[in-house]
Amino acid sequence: MTWTICFIISITVIALSIVLALMVGSRKYKSGRVLTPFNVLFGGVFISALMLLIPVQDSLISSEVHSPFQTFLFSLFSTIQIFVIEGDTELIAETLRCPTEWLAHTYYIMISVYYVLAPILSFVFLLSFFRNAKSFIKYINHYFSDTYIFSELSEKTLALGRDIKNKHSKALIVYTGLTDDDDERQSEYIERAKSVKAICFTKDILAINFKSHYRKAGITFFSIDEDENTNMIQGLKIIEQYRERENVRLYVFSTGVESELLLAKTDHGKMKVRRINEIRSLVNRSLYDDGGKIFDTALPGDDGIKEISVVFVGLGTHGSEMLKGIIWYCQMDGYRIKIDAFDENPLAEDRFLGAMPELSNYDITIHSGVDVTTKTFSDEIAKLRKTTFAYVALDSDEANIRTAVKLRMLFERIGIKPLIQAVVRSSYEKKALEGITNYSGEPYDIDFIGDVESSYTEDVIINSELENDALLRHLKWGKEEDFWRYEYNYQSSVASAIHMKARIHCNIKGAEKADEDMTEEERIAIEKLEHRRWNAYMRSEGYIYSGSHDKSSRNNLGKMHHDLIEYDEMDDDEKRKDSKVGTK
C-alpha cells in the first residue's frame, strides 16, 4: 500500500511542478526571487524523487530500529545522493517490493530518469550560483562607485549604459534579469556589456539587495522591460524598498496612464522618481532640437501670414503624439497651420477626436481608411501642393523608409520639396540611410529620427537640457517636488519650454526678455501668444471648455477647464500669469 501511495504522490508532484513551471515561465512579469520555472522544476523533481525513495528505504531499514522519522531521513539522504551523482541504482532495483509488476517497472523507469535529470539540474543550479557569485564579488569591489542598474539587457539599455560609462568612467553599470538561455542574441549582448566593464546578474532587479552600497554614492534604477506592466510593478516595488535611502533615482519607462497615476500616488520618500514616456520624449526632443525647421520652410500666404502645411502618415502612438505636439507648437504670431493626416484604420478620425474632441477647432483633416500603397493615397497627396512638412510613423522601420521615399517621389511630381521626417528605431539602419541618394546621386533629403543610439543617452534620459528648462518654467509658479511627481505639471512645463525656444527662433518681440523688462505692447503680445499656445496644448491633452468662466466649473477628472476661452475674455490676473510663465 505504501508503494502505491508514494508513487501516486510522486507522479502528482512532478505533474504539478511542470504545470506550475510553465505558468510561471509564461508570465510577463518575472519576480526573479524564488518562484522561477527552474526553481519550481528543481523542487518538484526533488520532492518527487524523495517520495519514490521512502518505500525503498522503508524496506531496507531493520524492523527492530524502524521508525517513520528514520525512514524519512534515509530517504532524504538518498535523494541528495541522486542530485550529487552518488546514488546506487542497483540497490534500488534489488529492493523494489512493489505489489504489481507494472508498478515496479514504472517505479524503476522514473528513478532511472531522475538519476540522469537530477545531476543536470544540480549542474545548472551551481552554474547559475557561481555566475551570480562572481558578479556579486565584482559589485562589492565597486562599493564607492555611482551605480546605474538596469532591469534587463537589451539594445536600449546597452546604448544608455555605454553612454553613461563614456561620460563617467568610474561609474558602475549593472544589468539584471538575464535568462539562463544560451541564445546567440544574449551572448552578443553580454560581450557588448563587457566592453564597458558592466556586471551582469541572472537575478531579477528586485532580488538583489543594493541597500548596502555606500550611502553617499548614487544609485540609479532603470525599470525598462519591454512589457510596461512589468516596469510599473518593478517601479512600485523599488520605491517600497529604497524610499528611505539617500541618493536614489528611479526611471520607469511606461506610456500608460495607469503608471502615471500609481507613481504619482505612491510615497517616494527620499527618492527622485521619473516616468519616461519614450514616444512623447521623442516628440518633445524633436521639436526642441529641430522644430525651428518647420517655421523656416513655411510658405508666405496671400495675406502675409506664413503657412505651415503638414502631412502625417500613420496615426498610431508616434503619429498621434507628434500631431498633438505640432498643433500647440505651431501656434505662433505670423504663422498658421493646416494638417492632413492619413491612416488605414477606417475609425482613425473618430478615435483621434474621441480622445481630443476640441482639436476639431483647428484646421485638421483626417483621411481615415487610406492605405499608403494605394492610388487613393497618391491622388490625395497630389492635391496637397503647399505641403511644407511630412511626418511618417507607421508600424515598422521598413514601412516608414519605404513610405518616406514614396512621399519624396510624389512631392517631386508636383514640384515641391517639403521637409520629410520618418521614424526609424534601428541605429544601424539610420546610419546606413544617412545622406541616401538615388542611382543618379540625387539626395532624398529625408530625416530619420528615433533610433536607439540617439534616444537612449544620458543627455536625453537623465540630464536633459529640455528638462532643466522646463523645471525653470515650473518654478515660476510651483514647487520642484510637484514638477517631478505629477505628469500634468511636468509635461505642461516641458511644452512651455519648447515653445519658448521656438519664439526666440521666430524672433517674436519680447521673447528673450524677462517679464519686468518688456514694454506694455510686448507684454500684451506675449500674453496673447502664450494663452493661444496654452489653449492648443490643453486641447491636445483632451481638455474641453467647462462651459463657464467661473473657476468653480473646472473639473480636472472630467478634463474640463474654465480658461479655455479667448484672451480678451480673461481676467487681468489670469493674463498676468501668461506673461509670467511665457517669458524669460
Side-chain angles (χ1 to χ4, degrees), residues 53-282:
L53 291 172
I54 285 177
V56 173
Q57 292 299 327
D58 187 59
S59 63
L60 286 172
I61 299 175
S62 170
S63 59
E64 296 178 2
V65 294
H66 181 275
S67 74
F69 183 66
Q70 284 180 310
T71 301
F72 174 78
L73 290 179
F74 277 106
S75 301
L76 183 61
F77 177 73
S78 297
T79 305
I80 294 172
Q81 284 185 311
I82 292 177
F83 278 82
V84 295
I85 326 178
E86 289 188 3
D88 189 347
T89 53
E90 292 185 7
L91 179 64
I92 300 293
E94 292 172 0
T95 54
L96 286 177
R97 302 290 186 269
C98 299
T100 60
E101 184 178 344
W102 74 266
L103 182 59
H105 183 68
T106 307
Y107 225 93
Y108 189 70
I109 290 175
M110 283 189 66
I111 289 179
S112 299
V113 170
Y114 286 163
Y115 265 79
V116 175
L117 180 60
I120 294 174
L121 293 176
S122 295
F123 176 75
V124 173
F125 172 79
L126 288 173
L127 189 66
S128 175
F129 174 80
F130 285 115
R131 186 177 180 182
N132 279 307
K134 183 179 178 181
S135 296
F136 273 116
I137 292 171
K138 286 183 179 179
Y139 174 69
I140 292 170
N141 289 336
H142 290 82
Y143 177 73
F144 296 101
S145 301
D146 287 337
T147 303
Y148 299 82
I149 304 160
F150 297 87
S151 63
E152 72 168 13
L153 182 60
S154 65
E155 287 285 353
K156 296 177 181 179
T157 58
L158 280 168
L160 182 52
R162 182 169 56 250
D163 188 70
I164 291 171
K165 189 68 175 180
N166 288 339
K167 291 183 172 69
H168 309 280
S169 59
K170 294 183 179 180
L172 174 64
I173 309 299
V174 177
Y175 295 107
T176 64
L178 277 68
T179 65
D180 291 322
D181 302 330
D182 191 23
D183 62 89
E184 186 176 344
R185 174 60 63 85
Q186 181 170 269
S187 297
E188 177 196 342
Y189 286 165
I190 292 174
E191 287 303 313
R192 288 164 62 183
K194 288 179 180 178
S195 68
V196 294
K197 299 180 180 179
I199 297 175
C200 298
F201 287 101
T202 57
K203 287 180 175 292
D204 184 86
I205 194 170
L206 297 173
I208 305 169
N209 183 6
F210 295 103
K211 290 182 179 178
S212 58
H213 199 70
Y214 183 51
R215 297 194 69 82
K216 291 185 178 180
I219 297 179
T220 303
F221 292 97
F222 299 92
S223 186
I224 189 173
D225 197 274
E226 288 297 324
D227 178 60
E228 291 193 359
N229 186 56
T230 297
N231 294 339
M232 182 177 66
I233 295 173
Q234 282 180 342
L236 293 173
K237 291 193 174 184
I238 289 171
I239 293 171
E240 182 180 333
Q241 291 179 26
Y242 296 91
R243 63 162 58 98
E244 296 306 320
R245 193 187 187 284
E246 301 280 357
N247 301 318
V248 178
R249 295 181 295 184
L250 168 65
Y251 294 84
V252 180
F253 288 70
S254 175
T255 59
V257 67
E258 64 278 7
S259 61
E260 175 188 342
L261 297 173
L262 286 170
L263 290 173
K265 178 179 180 295
T266 305
D267 176 17
H268 299 166
K270 300 175 182 178
M271 293 177 62
K272 175 183 175 182
V273 179
R274 272 279 289 110
R275 185 178 79 109
I276 304 294
N277 184 329
E278 298 168 82
I279 296 171
R280 193 158 192 172
S281 175
L282 171 61

Side-chain angles (χ1 to χ4, degrees), residues 225-443:
D225 197 274
E226 288 297 324
D227 178 60
E228 291 193 359
N229 186 56
T230 297
N231 294 339
M232 182 177 66
I233 295 173
Q234 282 180 342
L236 293 173
K237 291 193 174 184
I238 289 171
I239 293 171
E240 182 180 333
Q241 291 179 26
Y242 296 91
R243 63 162 58 98
E244 296 306 320
R245 193 187 187 284
E246 301 280 357
N247 301 318
V248 178
R249 295 181 295 184
L250 168 65
Y251 294 84
V252 180
F253 288 70
S254 175
T255 59
V257 67
E258 64 278 7
S259 61
E260 175 188 342
L261 297 173
L262 286 170
L263 290 173
K265 178 179 180 295
T266 305
D267 176 17
H268 299 166
K270 300 175 182 178
M271 293 177 62
K272 175 183 175 182
V273 179
R274 272 279 289 110
R275 185 178 79 109
I276 304 294
N277 184 329
E278 298 168 82
I279 296 171
R280 193 158 192 172
S281 175
L282 171 61
V283 169
N284 289 339
R285 193 170 71 254
S286 297
L287 295 176
Y288 186 74
D289 292 340
D290 297 312
K293 295 177 182 178
I294 298 173
F295 296 104
D296 295 341
T297 54
L299 300 174
D302 296 335
D303 56 359
I305 302 295
K306 292 183 178 180
E307 297 180 353
I308 300 171
S309 182
V310 184
V311 168
F312 283 92
V313 182
L315 282 180
T317 50
H318 276 93
S320 295
E321 198 65 53
M322 187 62 167
L323 195 158
K324 289 161 54 180
I326 284 287
I327 282 293
W328 57 258
Y329 182 73
C330 290
Q331 300 302 314
M332 193 69 67
D333 290 343
Y335 295 85
R336 60 170 162 260
I337 181 169
K338 177 182 182 298
I339 293 175
D340 284 88
F342 296 85
D343 194 277
E344 65 179 359
N345 191 317
L347 296 176
E349 180 179 18
D350 202 23
R351 287 181 174 180
F352 186 81
L353 295 179
M356 295 151 288
E358 289 202 356
L359 285 188
S360 59
N361 295 353
Y362 302 93
D363 192 355
I364 303 175
T365 302
I366 297 179
H367 306 261
S368 303
V370 178
D371 190 318
V372 296
T373 63
T374 63
K375 184 176 182 296
T376 300
F377 176 73
S378 299
D379 290 344
E380 290 298 324
I381 292 295
K383 299 174 184 177
L384 304 175
R385 295 180 174 272
K386 292 186 177 181
T387 301
T388 59
F389 176 57
Y391 190 84
V392 184
L394 297 171
D395 294 334
S396 68
D397 289 352
E398 291 72 22
N400 291 338
I401 296 166
R402 185 170 56 249
T403 303
V405 170
K406 180 177 181 178
L407 276 177
R408 180 57 74 202
M409 176 193 71
L410 295 175
F411 289 137
E412 286 289 328
R413 288 178 178 177
I414 57 177
I416 61 174
K417 285 187 175 291
L419 289 171
I420 299 178
Q421 282 188 349
V423 177
V424 172
R425 300 163 186 84
S426 168
S427 297
Y428 300 108
E429 289 191 15
K430 181 191 174 182
K431 289 178 182 177
L433 290 165
E434 288 177 354
I436 55 170
T437 63
N438 64 4
Y439 67 92
S440 59
E442 297 170 296

